[in-house]
Amino acid sequence: MRTEDTGGSGHDLRHHGDAEVRDDGAALVDLAVNVRADTPPPWLREEIAGSLSSLAGYPDGRAARAAVAARHGLPVERVLLTAGAAEAFVLLARALKVRHPVVVHPQFTEPEAALRDAGHTVERVLLREEDAFRLDPAAVPEAADLVVVGNPTNPTSVLHPAESIVRLARPGRTLVVDEAFMDAVPGEREALAGRTDVPGLVVLRSLTKTWGLAGLRIGYALAAPEVIAELERAQPLWPVSTPALVAARACVAPRALAEAGHAAHRVAGDRAHLVSGLAAFASRGVRVVEPAEGPFVLVRTEDASGVRRRLRDLGYAVRRGDTFPGLGAEWIRIAVRDRRTVNGFLKALSIALPSPTHPPEPRG
């Protein structure tokens, strides 16, 4: 694990998985974007559609805020609804007075991009492949007054122990934990959402991944009331639309939480199937970061850019890894999909990989 200054990094921090399936990629099978397939479900679409008759009025977020607070056992003063978790990164970068922000990489690049756009100099802590990209709290500089870490982390799919993250907390430090994919972890083990005993803790959640609402933009921040008040002052008026507020209430209701729990177990099974299939290509230089705990896996392979290009020719889009600090051109991220889709992808991968002497058969 090492630290790095961000000057002249060369990484495209604003490249995201959706770029792989825009324009000429729109017809491809999407394994680049980490949004659960077949979402939003019909009942959620109906809830959202029902809100359209209220569009003449200004959004009123009180009921949705109370619902999110109740879901995590918190008072409403500890909740801020945002236009997706990405907005929260911008608010944190602009509203908080910090001098030494640190971002733990590889992870979602928007936190660093938001901090840099707000004029901050960002230090990176780079987790290492030889450590399976696991967090060592001692590697974070003591002087850091803002630390950002993902859990489970995008793109590595590593789930850090909650107590390892808690060890990063200090008086006078803001500890931001991006839990955008935590509801895809069975039982949400290692979650910090709802904790009030960790000084400086800010937990960010997204409702766009599990429920397929990336186009609606809905997420939230959980933090001490004084931090929430600072972030709220930095928000524009009516930042979350009425349909998004309706979706927020629906997605934290008991029925939705039960469905998300079932989906997390299904994703875990589908992920195991994908990892098993990828293991068949180990002799061809394919290596999966394990254990994977998110709805995606990180894979190292020779000639990754060529593999990605050939996969596109065969009808499949995967996420390039070289835009993540700490990773290089040999990495790709693959979203977990249902077994039929995965089987088709594995067959395509067997063609896209550099030719072996004895090509393995993908597992069905």
Side-chain angles (χ1 to χ4, degrees), residues 257-293:
L257 295 179
E259 182 174 324
H262 290 308
H265 285 283
R266 186 170 64 250
V267 167
D270 290 340
R271 182 181 60 240
H273 180 70
L274 172 60
V275 170
S276 175
L278 291 168
F281 300 113
S283 63
R284 298 173 70 178
V286 172
R287 180 187 177 277
V288 183
V289 175
E290 294 188 79
E293 300 284 358

Side-chain angles (χ1 to χ4, degrees), residues 287-304:
R287 180 187 177 277
V288 183
V289 175
E290 294 188 79
E293 300 284 358
F296 45 86
V297 297
L298 182 63
V299 173
R300 182 171 187 159
T301 183
E302 297 177 9
D303 188 28

Side-chain angles (χ1 to χ4, degrees), residues 25-36:
L28 300 176
V29 177
D30 180 7
L31 284 82
V33 176
N34 292 327
V35 173
R36 200 179 101 211

Side-chain angles (χ1 to χ4, degrees), residues 110-173:
E110 202 59 33
E112 181 176 320
L115 285 162
R116 291 172 63 172
D117 286 348
H120 297 285
T121 299
V122 181
E123 185 174 352
R124 295 172 180 164
V125 170
L126 301 180
L127 307 185
R128 301 184 304 174
E129 179 187 3
E130 51 265 43
D131 298 325
F133 297 107
R134 302 201 70 81
L135 174 68
D136 176 7
V140 175
E142 193 64 33
D145 56 359
L146 174 72
V147 178
V148 185
V149 61
N151 204 35
T153 303
N154 169 25
T156 64
S157 207
V158 170
L159 182 66
H160 304 293
E163 290 312 307
S164 292
I165 295 178
V166 168
R167 286 173 54 196
L168 294 172
R170 303 279 190 283
R173 172 185 287 177

Side-chain angles (χ1 to χ4, degrees), residues 183-209:
D183 58 357
V185 176
E188 296 195 3
R189 67 187 193 282
E190 313 303 344
L192 292 175
R195 293 275 295 266
T196 60
D197 61 323
V198 182
L201 178 65
V202 179
V203 174
L204 305 182
R205 287 285 182 111
S206 170
L207 297 173
T208 65
K209 314 301 184 185

Side-chain angles (χ1 to χ4, degrees), residues 18 47 59 76 161-162 203 223 286 325 357 360:
D18 61 312
E47 291 267 8
V76 293
V203 174
V286 172
T357 304

